[in-house]
């Protein structure tokens, strides 16, 4: 069968591109080496799929070109995807900070996307390992274990190397380089940090969580931080990990609601209490103990000089951790970096120098915050490319 477009990858972006182009009259084939679609969708949100975020605006995405995502995101919005979800009667709720989750299962989202693909008469080749991709005479030829396919349009939607246990690889970058696209060095994002042996005190806090404000440079996030046996995790840490560079420190405000004179006020109000007890009124006991021990202010509050309490408070509101790394792609939710947007059209996601070549989703150097932003980029970039493909077919 002749196809107008071949999409490599049956994740969120690939499926959305396929259903968009298919429903607009293009004959589409989706190829994936996995045996089933939407592997990452199925495990996201603890199996409930955080399918979008109502606050998905361009400044909440990282890219070498911070304006690149604006066009696609403006033309396919969170409200558009919510409308689709409602049409399929998928019950959902807002968990926190604009994050929308299925009440039931992420399987509902995959089933919805596959039904939409069926409405667009999209063909699939699952379990098809790709051995070669070539381009000649205006057509792309993809050689796989399931057969050889060709089409005038090719979409790279194979994601990045995050979560390799799902079959994720850097194949998109190999293809990008093959076709002359530059690659922004990929790195793990939305990933837990590891701490060096010098931070043993905090390793002993494994399992303790607290609401903090975490910063890596200017970006700051107020969410929960979780101590692990390896280092730091939790939403606040995953968020700042996307901005962190190796060797930099992370600043943590353990008392985001407390004024800078809080300890001095506590000295006046609770002169006989110890620092450990005072901190314990605002923080989990184990964390309060560890912080008090590290600050080293023994005795009761009445015996502390105001200057020492001021210095301690400054540290508590900007505690510096210097991670020695992250837990890598194995634990990263997404990949930062990827195919350089400088070589792509922000309107169509098409390569500037090869007609018919597109790159979308996580394969591209656009990375969203934690909480549904990356799925919204998958839908929006897939919609942009699918629309452009249909326009090419009908032009």
């Amino acid at each position: 069968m002749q196809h107008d477009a071949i999409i490599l990858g049956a994740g969120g972006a690939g499926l959305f591109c396929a259903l968009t182009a298919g429903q607009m009259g293009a004959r589409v084939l989706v190829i994936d080496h996995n045996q089933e679609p939407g592997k990452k969708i199925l495990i996201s949100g603890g199996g409930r799929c955080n399918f979008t975020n109502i606050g998905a605006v361009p400044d909440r995405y990282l890219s070498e070109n911070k304006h690149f995502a604006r066009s696609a995101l403006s033309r396919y919005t969170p409200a558009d995807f919510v409308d689709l979800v409602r049409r399929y009667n998928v019950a959902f709720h807002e968990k926190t900070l604009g994050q929308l989750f299925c009440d039931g299962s992420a399987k509902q989202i995959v089933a919805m996307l596959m039904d939409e693909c069926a409405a667009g008469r999209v063909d699939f080749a699952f379990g098809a390992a790709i051995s070669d991709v070539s381009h000649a005479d205006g057509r792309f030829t993809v050689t796989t274990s399931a057969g050889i396919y060709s089409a005038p349009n090719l979409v790279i939607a194979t994601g990045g190397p995050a979560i390799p246990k799902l079959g994720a690889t850097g194949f998109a970058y190999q293809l990008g380089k093959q076709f002359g696209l530059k690659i922004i060095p990929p790195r793990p994002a939305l990933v837990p940090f590891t701490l060096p042996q010098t931070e043993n005190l905090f390793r002993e806090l494994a399992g303790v969580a607290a609401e903090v404000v975490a910063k890596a440079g200017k970006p700051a996030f107020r969410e929960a931080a979780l101590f692990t046996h390896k280092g730091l995790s939790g939403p606040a840490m995953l968020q700042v990990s996307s901005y962190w560079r190796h060797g930099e420190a992370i600043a943590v405000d353990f008392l985001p609601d407390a004024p800078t004179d809080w300890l001095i006020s506590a000295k006046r109000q609770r002169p006989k209490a110890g620092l450990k007890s005072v901190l314990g009124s605002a923080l989990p006991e184990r964390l309060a103990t560890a912080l008090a021990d590290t600050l080293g202010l023994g005795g009761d509050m009445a015996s502390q000089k105001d200057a020492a309490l001021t210095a301690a408070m400054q540290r508590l509101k900007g505690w510096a951790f210097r991670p020695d790394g992250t837990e890598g792609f194995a634990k990263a939710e997404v990949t930062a970096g990827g195919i350089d947007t400088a070589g792509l059209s922000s309107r169509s996601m098409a390569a500037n120098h090869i007609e018919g070549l597109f790159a979308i989703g996580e394969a591209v150097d656009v990375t969203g915050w934690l909480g549904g932003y990356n799925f919204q980029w998958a839908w929006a970039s897939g919609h942009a490319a699918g629309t452009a493909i249909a326009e090419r077919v009908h032009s």
Side-chain angles (χ1 to χ4, degrees):
M1 180 179 175
Q2 293 293 309
H3 292 98
D4 297 312
I6 295 172
I7 298 172
L8 305 181
L15 292 177
F16 214 86
C17 181
L19 69 88
T20 301
Q23 291 181 23
M24 293 177 72
R27 295 163 299 177
V28 180
L29 170 68
V30 179
I31 299 173
D32 199 295
H33 64 125
N34 285 315
Q35 296 292 338
E36 59 182 7
K39 282 277 188 111
K40 211 165 187 180
I41 298 172
L42 292 171
I43 68 159
S44 71
R48 289 191 170 181
C49 188
N50 180 190
F51 56 79
T52 192
N53 193 297
I54 58 178
V57 292
D59 65 1
R60 296 182 177 184
Y61 290 83
L62 291 77
S63 175
E64 291 290 304
N65 177 358
K66 63 181 181 180
H67 301 297
F68 182 83
R70 187 178 303 278
S71 176
L73 290 170
S74 69
R75 287 180 294 121
Y76 193 85
T77 67
D80 293 323
F81 194 80
V82 168
D83 286 345
L84 178 61
V85 168
R86 284 194 169 122
R87 262 196 292 151
Y88 277 79
N89 296 314
V90 176
F92 66 91
H93 61 280
E94 181 180 346
K95 187 175 180 182
T96 183
L97 300 173
Q99 302 171 16
L100 301 186
F101 286 78
C102 296
D103 288 356
S105 168
K107 292 178 182 178
Q108 294 171 283
I109 299 297
V110 175
M112 178 189 78
L113 295 174
M114 291 301 285
D115 283 353
E116 287 288 293
C117 283
R121 300 184 177 184
V122 174
D123 294 321
F124 288 91
F126 289 117
I130 297 171
S131 57
D132 185 66
V133 180
S134 61
H135 179 249
D137 301 323
R139 295 186 71 82
F140 295 89
T141 300
V142 182
T143 304
T144 79
S145 57
I148 299 174
Y149 309 95
S150 73
N153 297 286
L154 180 75
V155 184
I156 302 172
T158 54
I163 320 183
K165 68 181 180 182
L166 297 183
T169 70
F171 182 62
Y173 313 143
Q174 297 173 34
L175 272 186
K177 288 177 183 176
Q178 177 184 330
F179 291 118
L181 294 168
K182 292 182 180 177
I183 308 298
I184 303 298
R187 64 184 192 281
L190 304 181
V191 62
F193 292 108
T194 57
L195 291 176
Q197 291 298 321
T198 52
E199 299 280 8
N200 268 339
L201 177 66
F202 292 98
R203 287 172 183 267
E204 294 168 9
L205 293 175
V208 174
E211 185 173 330
V212 304
V213 172
K215 288 184 180 181
K218 287 185 179 180
F221 296 91
R222 179 170 178 162
E223 292 193 64
L226 171 70
F227 290 93
T228 73
H229 66 284
K230 291 183 178 179
L232 298 165
S233 188
M237 294 302 161
L238 298 186
Q239 292 281 36
V240 298
S241 72
S242 297
Y243 294 87
W244 179 76
R245 293 293 188 274
H246 204 280
E248 293 179 348
I250 297 164
V252 177
D253 182 350
F254 284 111
L255 300 166
D257 291 322
T260 54
D261 63 351
W262 185 67
L263 286 181
I264 293 175
S265 296
K267 173 182 173 179
R268 310 280 187 260
Q269 295 164 8
R270 302 177 59 191
K272 294 183 179 179
L275 178 60
K276 193 178 300 184
S277 176
V278 170
L279 292 180
S281 68
L283 296 167
E285 183 179 357
R286 286 169 62 197
L287 176 58
T289 298
L291 293 173
D293 288 347
T294 305
L295 289 167
L297 298 180
D300 58 27
M301 295 298 286
S303 66
Q304 309 300 331
K305 293 182 179 180
D306 284 2
L309 292 175
T310 297
M313 196 62 187
Q314 286 176 342
R315 190 169 180 193
L316 288 165
K317 292 189 72 65
W319 200 284
F321 289 95
R322 200 172 291 277
D324 57 4
T326 71
E327 292 193 40
F329 286 117
K331 296 295 184 181
E333 296 203 11
V334 294
T335 305
I339 293 173
D340 191 347
T341 60
L344 304 174
S345 161
S346 62
R347 188 192 71 82
S348 65
M349 308 302 296
N352 295 331
H353 68 295
I354 297 183
E355 279 199 27
L357 179 65
F358 299 79
I360 58 176
E362 194 181 338
V364 175
D365 175 36
V366 174
T367 307
W369 287 4
L370 180 73
Y373 292 92
N374 289 292
F375 276 130
Q376 186 57 38
W377 171 244
W379 319 139
S381 61
H383 180 266
T387 302
I389 287 167
E391 290 172 350
R392 283 197 82 213
V393 169
H394 298 310
S395 64

